[in-house]
Amino acid sequence: MENAKMPKVGIVMGSDSDMPVMAKAADILEELGISYEMRVISAHREPDVFFEYAKTAEEKGFQVIIAGAGMAAHLPGMCAAIFPMPVIGIPMHTSSLGGRDSLYSIVQMPSGIPVATVAINGGANAGLLAAKILAVADKELLKKLRSYTENLKKQVQSKDARLQERGYRAYLEEMKK
Ligand code: RP5
């Protein structure tokens, strides 16, 4: 049973050390007015808690889960094994293998259980991808996404206009300030 107060997106991370990246996904959802719930749940260190989370995610109203993890990053894939709707995986950068460990763990899912994997530390894109999935059935949200994209274009255009006006040397100096 869906109601307006239910969070539409579940944001889950394997450790609070993932928080700076996961916060970027939450920032995007807040900017677009999308309700979410954020949790720290480790699939390895507390498998019983994780299983309960993934099993009850649908009845809590989640339509998308954004799951971030690092190293042997099984959290997103296991969410996708249990939760029937889209799961977006965010591979964390790691000091030992530069995040390739997390990336391969998340992206190399077996056939039948997809995880939409964004770039290493791609928190903002995960938030945007979740919004785009929800926008398929939400015209107001689609409008906000169009204006978000239009704003990106304006930012590049104003940078280029400044470059044309000042020249690259002055532009570079101003960037250092
Ligand atoms: C993963 O192990 C987490 O997602 C985190 O990225 C990584 C390291 O966790 P901590 O040792 O910082 O708690 O489960």
Side-chain angles (χ1 to χ4, degrees):
M1 182 73 75
E2 189 185 331
N3 82 47
K5 283 189 186 147
M6 284 174 156
K8 287 207 168 89
V9 179
I11 297 181
V12 63
M13 64 203 92
S15 167
D16 64 352
S17 59
D18 304 328
M19 188 82 74
V21 172
M22 302 310 284
K24 290 182 187 153
D27 287 346
I28 293 285
L29 297 183
E30 288 199 7
E31 190 177 334
L32 295 168
I34 299 169
S35 57
Y36 65 91
E37 178 205 88
M38 187 188 264
R39 301 281 305 272
V40 177
I41 297 176
S42 170
H44 294 134
R45 294 168 176 153
E46 44 172 10
D48 51 336
V49 175
F50 163 73
F51 187 66
E52 188 59 23
Y53 170 82
K55 220 173 52 165
T56 56
E58 188 183 0
E59 71 199 46
K60 279 191 292 191
F62 296 174
Q63 293 172 18
V64 184
I65 289 179
I66 299 174
M71 304 164 73
H74 298 133
L75 182 71
M78 285 308 295
C79 281
I82 299 167
F83 179 66
M85 282 174 267
V87 174
I88 300 168
I90 310 178
M92 295 298 140
H93 187 267
T94 57
S95 50
S96 41
L97 295 174
R100 283 181 291 277
D101 42 355
S102 326
L103 174 65
Y104 294 161
S105 302
I106 295 175
V107 80
Q108 288 292 81
M109 287 298 291
S111 180
I113 315 291
V115 171
T117 308
V118 296
I120 295 169
N121 280 0
N125 267 0
L128 282 166
L129 187 53
K132 284 177 182 241
I133 291 167
L134 296 172
V136 168
D138 184 338
K139 287 208 165 71
E140 273 310 302
L141 180 56
L142 186 58
K143 227 162 93 184
K144 288 183 193 169
L145 278 165
R146 282 193 210 282
S147 111
Y148 180 93
T149 308
E150 187 56 33
N151 201 28
L152 291 181
K153 179 179 169 183
K154 281 185 189 145
Q155 284 173 29
V156 179
Q157 287 177 325
S158 96
K159 286 174 185 171
D160 183 54
R162 209 172 89 208
L163 173 63
Q164 302 317 309
E165 188 190 311
R166 316 261 170 96
Y168 79 89
R169 286 192 184 86
Y171 193 109
L172 259 182
E173 279 313 308
E174 284 167 21
M175 279 180 86
K176 288 180 198 157
K177 283 177 196 161

